[in-house]
Amino acid sequence: MLGSWLKTFLPGRRSIPDKAAEPDFDPQTLPWIDRPEADLEGYLRGLSKAEQDMFGPALRSWRDLGYAIFPQAVSHELIDAYLADIEELYAQRRWRALVLGESFGVQPVQALSRETLEGEHHLRLMDFHNHSVAGKKLALNAKAVTFLRHVFQDEVVAMQSLTFIHGSEQWTHQDFPYVVAQIPSHLAASWIALEDVHPDAGPLGYFPGSHRLPKFNFGNGLFLTPESPLREDAFREHLERHCAARGIERQVFLPRKGDMFVWHAALAHGGTKVNNPNLTRKSFVTHYSSLRAYPRDRRAPEVIPRRWTWNGAHLYENPLLPEEENAFRRGEAVE
């Protein structure tokens, strides 16, 4: 289920690695914090007191549990600007921003009615940050990019974004088989609550410490490809079985508007069941890599990309729709 949707738009190459019984990330290119010899406490002592206080607990959580939580990471003003951009997009529907839905696949917004957009509960608005300055600033918010700069020890690049209005109800999965940079382990994601999330709205579920589980072999390596003999159902079963064997129970993230959850490439997570379909679960997801691992945009890898930079991190302008870049400018007035 998951891969059949994601393969239509998620970034990265889908090369097939050498077959192996237990494929894994290349230990030579792992982020330093994922290496067995990593001296996190020594690293933290080299930071200022303010940095230690701000990022020390988050880095320890990342190392041990595979995620970090940042309460009130972004302003409500910025969120409101982004939600106003989406409302304008839905009301006018004259842009070619892409949406993904179970009933219609991938379509530009201008091809769909407002009733269809609002009635599709598993809809994903794809890379709307290219159209929206507010979306760009959400993706490159200071807490996320500063934290990930510590993780990657490199400049941070936002690879893509997804905007959800309702709970996704996605199966348990890890991101790296779908979202692939040139260095697959250089991957992280953030999930920002655009509103307070109700327990019945299908909140994000995650398995603490699951980033250390044995990697799943799709039959031709780490990454799901059209040729992979094993599919998403086997992937889900592998993750949930290994979590159960280690006593790792699923936790649920119930954030307030503005809270942010940042997770490791290999953290098992998914969307929990939506018990009340009348409830929304507005959220903004960004996947990140390092500049070294993601030097070109997936949509035109042969082209030197135009960068948009904020807080010392980057994202690439859409080379396929340059005339619609930053069409929604409300975010310019918001820090």
Side-chain angles (χ1 to χ4, degrees):
M1 179 180 73
L2 178 70
S4 61
W5 295 359
L6 294 185
K7 70 182 181 182
T8 60
F9 67 95
L10 285 181
R13 57 177 176 79
R14 297 188 176 276
S15 60
I16 301 174
D18 292 337
K19 292 184 180 181
E22 295 183 357
D24 207 341
F25 295 144
D26 181 352
Q28 300 302 313
T29 56
L30 279 176
W32 72 275
I33 196 170
D34 288 335
R35 300 181 183 188
E37 71 276 13
D39 180 9
L40 178 55
E41 298 308 315
Y43 177 79
L44 292 174
R45 286 193 294 271
L47 303 180
S48 68
K49 180 63 165 59
E51 288 178 304
Q52 290 181 39
D53 291 344
M54 183 171 294
F55 294 109
L59 287 167
R60 293 186 185 98
S61 178
W62 185 268
R63 177 195 61 191
D64 298 337
L65 302 174
Y67 67 89
I69 294 174
F70 295 91
Q72 297 304 291
V74 297
S75 72
H76 290 201
E77 185 181 7
L78 183 60
I79 290 172
D80 291 344
Y82 186 65
L83 292 175
D85 288 349
I86 294 174
E87 169 59 30
E88 183 181 351
L89 175 74
Y90 276 27
Q92 298 191 19
R93 300 185 311 286
R94 60 185 180 88
W95 292 275
R96 287 176 286 171
L98 295 178
V99 291
L100 172 68
E102 290 178 296
S103 66
F104 53 76
V106 178
Q107 296 286 340
V109 166
Q110 63 184 192
L112 301 168
S113 68
R114 179 153 192 167
E115 290 72 24
T116 298
L117 291 167
E118 293 181 339
E120 187 74 31
H121 271 223
H122 291 152
L123 180 143
R124 294 151 170 79
L125 182 57
M126 298 155 51
D127 291 328
F128 187 53
H129 69 269
N130 281 124
H131 288 75
S132 166
V133 175
K136 286 179 167 66
K137 290 184 176 182
L138 284 174
L140 299 184
N141 73 82
K143 287 284 179 66
V145 300
T146 305
F147 174 72
L148 291 175
R149 196 177 300 124
H150 286 295
V151 170
F152 293 140
Q153 292 294 290
D154 192 3
E155 294 176 70
V156 175
V157 178
M159 301 170 74
Q160 56 102 312
S161 71
L162 300 169
T163 305
F164 298 85
I165 304 302
H166 299 90
S168 69
E169 297 186 298
Q170 287 181 353
W171 286 358
T172 302
H173 66 284
Q174 296 163 316
D175 287 343
F176 67 83
Y178 309 98
V179 189
V180 187
Q182 291 183 13
I183 305 173
S185 61
H186 286 219
L187 177 68
S190 70
W191 192 104
I192 297 172
L194 304 181
E195 63 180 347
D196 296 349
V197 174
H198 192 279
D200 290 335
L204 177 71
Y206 61 96
F207 293 84
S210 57
H211 63 307
R212 294 180 173 172
L213 294 179
K215 302 295 192 297
F216 180 69
N217 188 349
F218 284 93
N220 58 348
L222 282 175
F223 312 113
L224 181 65
T225 73
E227 298 81 15
S228 297
L230 299 178
R231 312 306 296 179
E232 294 89 342
D233 54 349
F235 184 32
R236 173 190 185 182
E237 189 277 333
H238 165 90
L239 294 173
E240 294 182 350
R241 173 167 50 84
H242 278 276
C243 284
R246 287 160 174 75
I248 301 174
E249 297 182 355
R250 186 179 67 180
Q251 304 296 313
V252 175
F253 183 49
L254 288 174
R256 309 291 289 181
K257 179 178 178 180
D259 292 348
M260 179 173 66
F261 186 95
V262 185
W263 71 90
H264 188 284
L267 183 76
H269 64 285
T272 61
K273 181 176 173 55
V274 176
N275 294 318
N276 184 346
N278 294 318
L279 294 173
T280 59
R281 193 212 65 177
K282 296 174 184 175
S283 57
F284 182 82
V285 172
T286 307
H287 286 92
Y288 304 91
S289 189
S290 63
L291 185 59
R292 179 163 64 102
Y294 194 68
R296 299 290 180 96
D297 187 89
R298 73 193 188 276
R299 294 164 291 196
E302 73 285 355
V303 175
I304 297 175
R306 290 174 56 91
R307 292 187 201 170
W308 192 91
T309 300
W310 187 253
N311 290 321
H314 317 284
L315 52 79
Y316 301 136
E317 296 185 3
N318 188 347
L320 305 182
L321 284 177
E323 68 278 11
E324 294 191 11
E325 195 76 31
N326 295 336
F328 298 80
R329 298 183 172 274
R330 289 180 180 86
E332 289 181 342
V334 185
E335 290 299 321

